[in-house]
Amino acid sequence: MFVLDKHGTPLQPCTPARARKLLKKGRAVVHRHTPFVLRLKDRTAEDSEIDGVEVGVDPGSKHTGIAVFTAVAGERRGRYSVQLDHRGAQIRKKMEQRAAHRRRRRTSKLRYRAPRFLNRTRPEGWLAPSLHHRVATTMSWVGRLARWAPVRVVHVERVAFDTHAISVGEPLEGAEYQHGTLHGTEVREYLLAKWDRVCAYCGKQGVPLNIEHIRPRSCGGSDRVSNLAIACIPCNQAKSNRTVEDFLKGKPQLLTKILAQAKAPLRNAAAAQSTRWSLWRALDAMLPTHTDSGGRTKWNRGRCGLPKTHTLDALCVGKLGTVTEIVITALVAGCAGRGTHTRTRTDKHGFPRLRMPRQKQFFGYQTGDLVRAVVPTGKKTGVHTGRVAVRATGSFNITTAHGTVQGIRYKHVRLLQRADGYAYTTKREGVASSLV
């Protein structure tokens, strides 16, 4: 749990048991509900011992893992974990729809907005809105954590796989970790991302996967990444030194798919790669930042016996001795937005279906607020906690972890936290046997 002193200065995080004792004795008050932050009433930072924490960031195209941990002599202990779910794909889809609507009105000789793409210059370091969103939301959360915890250093993955190291095939300056037991990790990480961590021939997942040559070296195949795939052990042995055309001669559709995917670029990986440098520069301007490769992260995670999750990857970023403690329950922050300026809802044909009210607040609440409703009687009797969708009639909907409860009167609702653009849920991390 995050702890602040009476002036709002971050202190060393504490355990949930310690937080309950502080609240029960009246020494602290709830500063924020989600993530849970306490504020002490009788303590200042000058009177406290603060060791500081570090933050690990595992940036991705769809999800970004963020871990808060303490590090002493290479030993890391997880304190808090956040999985940030991006909405870059939704932004891209909405912008494509907007462009299609404007294009259609121009071609139909209707009232339209004139195209302005010829008189605009993009500043240096410009990113598309869907990519800029990933950087902005990650920076926002690192800034939040720095306000709630004494963050000293940030560790971030700057590259998922070092393509230069793959092509050169020898240790490079600043990449000494590729010596010895880490050799080949970069190529394998690239192939796992490209083939979605499943066997290219049978589609099995969750089984040991080997690097396999699509065109065998005995038939003139090379070691280029475009000639490599991921295959399970039975498929790898069955194919042996045959060409992929001979091996899949009875499955022409699968053959076409594999040959196309072997040369296809990584869209999600490309999106993540294009934002990692911008993210690193922004983080480095905020806090001292250390960078490393995704291959090093995977090697650290495998050495510590941890399962594959975004938040555990964030815990294993950079130079690491061992992980002795992890967070069992991680917070999932889904980017939900803050509403829309559009006051008209349309049907699938684009005609107006209904009109939304001009105001956003009703009875002191707005859509997206985190609330708790205590209903004493009726079919909806019970306590319901979640995000609220307001109506002018005073009959609200509350989305909880178990579903949506409709038609709850506003008089039963109590505010826990104002809307901040995120929808919060929790998930349990995969626990490795060595840490149980």
Side-chain angles (χ1 to χ4, degrees):
M1 300 295 173
F2 299 115
V3 183
L4 306 177
D5 72 352
K6 63 180 183 180
H7 301 304
T9 304
L11 303 178
Q12 198 71 12
C14 69
T15 62
R18 177 66 175 166
R20 287 191 293 267
K21 289 182 180 179
L22 292 172
L23 290 172
K24 187 176 181 179
K25 293 179 179 180
R27 294 183 55 196
V29 295
V30 177
H31 179 78
R32 181 185 173 90
H33 186 277
T34 305
F36 195 77
V37 183
L38 291 178
R39 187 173 72 250
L40 297 179
K41 298 189 293 184
D42 58 354
R43 181 73 67 85
T44 61
E46 291 75 13
D47 303 329
S48 305
E49 183 179 346
I50 304 175
D51 298 327
V53 298
E54 300 181 9
V55 173
V57 181
D58 175 38
S61 173
K62 298 180 181 179
H63 313 280
T64 291
I66 304 176
V68 179
F69 55 87
T70 57
V72 179
E75 177 183 307
R76 292 185 180 179
R77 294 186 177 184
R79 294 293 177 243
Y80 202 82
S81 296
V82 180
Q83 177 180 306
L84 183 58
D85 293 347
H86 299 296
R87 57 192 297 262
Q90 299 178 26
I91 294 175
R92 180 172 178 266
K93 180 180 178 182
K94 290 293 185 181
M95 295 195 68
E96 288 178 348
Q97 289 178 346
R98 184 183 69 178
H101 291 161
R102 290 177 177 175
R103 189 181 304 112
R104 183 255 171 190
R105 295 189 66 84
R106 286 195 292 267
T107 56
S108 298
K109 305 298 182 182
L110 301 175
R111 182 179 65 87
Y112 65 89
R113 177 179 176 178
R116 299 189 296 170
F117 62 91
L118 290 178
N119 63 350
R120 289 183 175 181
T121 58
R122 294 174 176 174
E124 184 178 356
W126 177 88
L127 289 174
S130 59
L131 301 180
H132 177 73
H133 156 79
R134 297 177 172 95
V135 177
T137 51
T138 305
M139 287 297 303
S140 174
W141 269 95
V142 173
R144 288 184 176 193
L145 295 175
R147 293 197 302 268
W148 301 329
V151 179
R152 302 288 187 253
V153 178
V154 177
H155 303 269
V156 62
E157 280 188 13
R158 193 166 61 179
V159 289
F161 29 79
D162 194 341
T163 53
H164 190 191
I166 292 174
S167 61
V168 174
E170 61 183 19
L172 302 176
E173 183 180 355
E176 291 82 3
Y177 60 85
Q178 295 183 29
H179 288 284
T181 55
L182 271 177
H183 180 68
T185 305
E186 304 292 342
V187 177
R188 183 174 179 82
E189 185 67 18
Y190 176 90
L191 293 174
L192 287 173
K194 184 173 184 177
W195 296 93
D196 298 326
R197 300 181 183 273
V198 301
C199 176
Y201 301 118
C202 65
K204 288 184 180 179
Q205 58 182 355
V207 297
L209 298 173
N210 295 336
I211 298 178
E212 200 271 332
H213 289 77
I214 297 176
R215 184 176 181 83
R217 297 180 62 183
S218 59
C219 298
S222 67
D223 290 331
R224 295 179 62 87
V225 178
S226 59
N227 190 47
L228 299 178
I230 293 293
C232 63
I233 296 176
C235 289
N236 192 13
Q237 293 177 348
K239 182 176 177 292
S240 186
N241 62 343
R242 291 189 289 173
T243 62
V244 67
E245 292 81 4
D246 183 26
F247 180 60
L248 298 177
K249 59 183 178 182
K251 301 177 181 179
Q253 294 182 349
L254 180 59
L255 174 62
T256 304
K257 177 184 176 182
I258 290 176
L259 294 177
Q261 188 170 353
K263 297 181 179 180
L266 291 170
R267 174 175 295 179
N268 289 334
Q273 291 286 83
S274 59
T275 58
R276 287 173 193 263
W277 286 90
S278 298
L279 177 61
W280 167 66
R281 294 188 186 99
L283 288 173
D284 195 46
M286 177 188 297
L287 291 164
T289 304
H290 300 163
T291 63
D292 222 307
S293 167
R296 176 64 177 263
T297 301
K298 180 181 177 181
W299 184 69
N300 289 338
R301 174 167 48 81
R303 187 165 49 87
C304 296
L306 298 175
K308 166 68 178 175
T309 66
H310 297 284
T311 48
L312 290 181
D313 275 356
L315 181 61
C316 297
V317 172
K319 295 181 180 180
L320 168 66
T322 183
V323 175
T324 58
E325 187 177 344
I326 67 172
V327 177
I328 303 302
T329 303
L331 177 70
V332 180
C335 298
R338 297 178 181 269
T340 175
H341 294 286
T342 306
R343 298 290 90 189
T344 304
R345 294 289 185 267
T346 61
D347 58 14
K348 64 179 181 179
H349 302 293
F351 292 98
R353 181 172 58 89
L354 57 89
R355 297 188 182 276
M356 305 295 290
R358 300 292 297 178
Q359 69 186 84
K360 297 183 69 175
Q361 275 199 6
F362 293 97
F363 305 97
Y365 304 96
Q366 69 178 14
T367 297
D369 286 346
L370 183 63
V371 300
R372 175 179 289 120
V374 181
V375 183
T377 59
K379 294 182 179 180
K380 303 176 182 66
T381 303
V383 180
H384 311 285
T385 304
R387 297 180 77 243
V388 65
V390 301
R391 293 195 185 98
T393 59
S395 180
F396 296 169
N397 294 347
I398 298 179
T399 301
T400 68
H402 307 289
T404 301
V405 183
Q406 298 182 349
I408 295 181
R409 294 297 299 173
Y410 72 93
K411 62 182 180 180
H412 301 309
V413 177
R414 294 295 179 268
L415 179 68
L416 298 178
Q417 183 173 293
R418 287 296 182 187
D420 61 354
Y422 296 92
Y424 296 105
T425 57
T426 57
K427 72 179 185 69
R428 288 185 62 83
E429 293 281 23
V431 182
S433 59
S434 60
L435 297 177
V436 176

